[in-house]
Amino acid sequence: MAFNPRILLGLLSLITIGASADLPTLYEYYTEGGINSGLSVDQPYFTLNGKNISIYSGAIHYFRVPPELWQDRLRKLRAAGLNTVETYIAWNIHEPQDGVFDFGDGGTESGGWADLPGFIKLAQQEDLFVILRPGPYICGEWEFGGFPSWLLRNDGIKLRQDDDVFLNYVQRYFDQLLPILSELQFTKGGPIIMVQVENELGFSWYIDTNYLQKIYDMVRGGGIVELLSSCDGASSEQIGTLPGLLFQTIDFGSDIEGNFGKLEEIQPNKPVMAMEFYPGWADHWTEQHHTTDPNDFRNNYEQALAWPGSANLYMFHGGTNWGFLNGANNGVGDNSNFQPITTTYDFDAPLTEAGDYTPKYDIIRELTKKYSAVETYTPDPPEVKERRVYSSLDLNGQLRFEDILRQAPDKIESDVPLSMEMLPINQNSG
């Protein structure tokens, strides 16, 4: 009989499956016997479908990663022992023009940068649960906090406040977004276990509880039945939430006792969770690349898991701020200091901008295995992508600035300077 390599590959696959057959996947374990309930915080620990769970999560923003690399990054996240992926949802990606929406084709194959449903389905395919943070404001060092720039064409609009003009735009956007998310909720057989309402409203913004209540009502009214959360700092003056309606999470990367302890005071008899647990930080232009010591990260992360607490690593894989979509940080009052974010969003994360493993990745694998109360099948880390060197190119010409201007598709004459949002281009979306 002639040698057939397909048979050998099939036998190896059976051996691999047999070796792990005694360990269920996440979905096998948490959906065994049918789905009766979602993520619960009615006790001092999380339960999912009635079973205990600690949320070991990592942030990957689909809009910062080329779609053809989504699967690789998600597989590496699951192989680190994490059970959940978190992402912001960037409004300006999905409504680039006023009233024109783009959510891709919803398939698990690449449907473009805006294929949010495809990313969510791919996460489930890779045995991951999903936390979504649709804002509408998402911060994240992203252009205009995720708001479409054309919103500023409305003179006097009040962002993130109880303003009818702004809220009407949010409602129109949510009317397109939420039906897509609704069908992908855990209690409907999908991966979404938690949805955050707004984002860090208490950090540096006037806390308009009427506005927050209306965003909450939109999300619930849009068919989202899973756990709804908010996210802020741990100090009492930084809390922007709706007690009894939103599960409160916080942001930090150190002083676990101080932060989780404060959260337990604010929100007693509930599980504690860091929605943004920082293994690194973003870079601003003119600064040195931010790095954090892996040993410091190990100590902080282990203290958080041993509390016991849940944590979403922000970022697990930062990716890239493509085009002109990098945002900026800015202080308030006397601390005002404009700090534009670089193109890279490496964040000194456990997985580099290029998708390579770092010492922090190995630490995560070690600690999630140590503290996981439930042992499920965890795949081995995928191989790192092959690197190639581009061939050299000879320069044989140049374009002068006036040559570029002559080729510009839109030419606008104005006696006064116009902001980019007010330019009558892009279907009057600036």
Side-chain angles (χ1 to χ4, degrees):
M1 179 178 174
F3 171 73
N4 188 334
R6 292 180 182 271
I7 294 177
L8 177 59
L9 289 172
L11 290 173
L12 290 172
S13 176
L14 288 174
I15 292 171
T16 302
I17 293 172
S20 61
D22 56 334
L23 289 179
T25 65
L26 283 171
Y27 279 88
E28 287 172 344
Y29 179 79
Y30 284 102
T31 64
E32 183 182 13
I35 300 174
N36 299 306
S37 60
L39 192 65
S40 169
V41 292
D42 293 336
Q43 56 288 308
Y45 48 88
F46 286 110
T47 63
L48 182 63
N49 201 25
K51 298 181 178 181
N52 288 14
I53 185 172
S54 292
I55 299 175
Y56 297 159
S57 177
I60 298 177
H61 298 156
Y62 61 97
F63 46 85
R64 281 183 160 120
V65 180
E68 58 269 26
L69 296 178
W70 285 350
Q71 187 171 53
D72 173 77
R73 305 306 193 250
L74 290 169
R75 284 185 175 177
K76 288 172 178 173
L77 186 147
R78 182 68 188 100
L82 302 176
N83 53 29
T84 304
V85 61
E86 174 272 319
T87 183
Y88 279 132
I89 299 177
W91 183 359
N92 51 13
I93 293 293
H94 299 293
E95 195 179 357
Q97 298 173 344
D98 187 355
V100 178
F101 297 93
D102 180 8
F103 292 98
D105 62 10
T108 54
E109 296 299 325
S110 177
W113 292 89
D115 191 10
L116 172 64
F119 180 82
I120 296 171
K121 293 174 184 177
L122 192 58
Q124 183 172 20
Q125 180 181 308
E126 297 302 325
D127 200 31
L128 288 163
F129 301 123
V130 174
I131 295 173
L132 294 179
R133 300 206 280 167
Y137 177 77
I138 64 170
C139 188
E141 293 79 47
W142 187 250
E143 161 65 13
F144 200 16
F147 290 147
S149 59
W150 51 257
L151 284 174
L152 296 179
R153 294 175 68 88
N154 295 273
D155 188 33
I157 190 171
K158 297 177 181 177
L159 306 174
R160 304 181 77 192
Q161 296 182 52
D162 187 4
D163 174 69
D164 287 342
V165 175
F166 175 64
L167 288 171
N168 286 338
Y169 282 115
V170 176
Q171 183 68 71
R172 187 181 69 175
Y173 166 55
F174 277 4
D175 285 345
Q176 298 291 322
L177 171 66
L178 297 179
I180 296 172
L181 304 185
S182 176
E183 296 304 312
L184 297 171
Q185 296 178 96
F186 177 79
T187 48
K188 294 185 178 182
I192 300 172
I193 60 173
M194 186 192 306
V195 176
Q196 183 178 295
V197 175
E198 244 288 340
N199 184 62
E200 298 178 342
L201 192 64
F203 261 122
S204 57
W205 203 273
Y206 170 71
I207 303 174
D208 186 337
T209 53
N210 289 333
Y211 161 69
L212 191 58
Q213 180 70 56
K214 290 183 178 181
I215 298 296
Y216 171 89
D217 292 341
M218 287 184 194
V219 174
R220 279 289 187 235
I224 303 302
V225 298
E226 305 297 338
L227 178 68
L228 297 186
S229 64
S230 59
C231 174
D232 278 301
S235 64
S236 57
E237 60 270 16
Q238 287 182 321
I239 298 301
T241 190
L242 297 172
L245 295 178
L246 296 176
F247 171 68
Q248 178 67 39
T249 68
I250 55 175
D251 298 345
F252 64 95
S254 60
D255 187 16
I256 283 66
E257 183 174 356
N259 283 288
F260 273 163
K262 183 67 176 181
L263 183 56
E264 286 185 341
E265 292 179 17
I266 296 169
Q267 187 174 245
N269 303 315
K270 301 286 185 183
V272 291
M273 180 173 179
M275 185 59 76
E276 294 185 10
F277 189 87
Y278 303 117
W281 198 248
D283 293 329
H284 304 102
W285 287 110
T286 75
E287 295 177 349
Q288 295 295 316
H289 174 50
H290 284 90
T291 60
T292 55
D293 187 281
N295 290 322
D296 291 340
F297 168 71
R298 173 194 291 274
N299 292 334
N300 290 321
Y301 191 52
E302 181 160 21
Q303 287 181 52
L305 300 192
W307 184 268
S310 292
N312 175 53
L313 294 160
Y314 188 100
M315 300 290 295
F316 175 79
H317 169 59
T320 305
N321 295 310
W322 305 98
F324 295 101
L325 289 169
N326 58 309
N329 294 122
N330 194 26
V332 178
D334 294 337
N335 295 320
S336 180
N337 182 21
F338 182 67
Q339 298 174 303
I341 298 295
T342 59
T343 302
T344 179
Y345 203 63
D346 178 79
F347 224 86
D348 197 32
L351 211 61
T352 69
E353 181 181 19
D356 294 336
Y357 302 111
T358 72
K360 294 176 186 175
Y361 184 92
D362 297 327
I363 291 169
I364 294 166
R365 274 177 55 84
E366 174 192 334
L367 294 180
T368 54
K369 182 177 179 61
K370 178 179 179 180
Y371 288 98
S372 292
V374 176
E375 188 176 9
T376 56
Y377 172 70
T378 303
D380 293 328
E383 293 293 325
V384 174
K385 295 287 185 181
E386 178 185 359
R387 298 293 188 271
R388 297 182 181 180
V389 177
Y390 288 107
S391 302
S392 298
L393 294 175
D394 294 326
L395 297 178
N396 54 23
Q398 66 181 15
L399 277 175
R400 294 175 301 175
F401 184 59
E402 51 266 35
D403 296 328
I404 298 173
L405 288 179
R406 277 195 294 270
Q407 297 180 41
D410 299 295
K411 299 177 179 63
I412 298 160
E413 295 184 5
S414 176
D415 294 331
V416 296
L418 297 175
S419 67
M420 65 178 185
E421 297 86 4
M422 300 304 296
L423 295 177
I425 60 174
N426 192 28
Q427 296 190 13
N428 269 337
S429 295

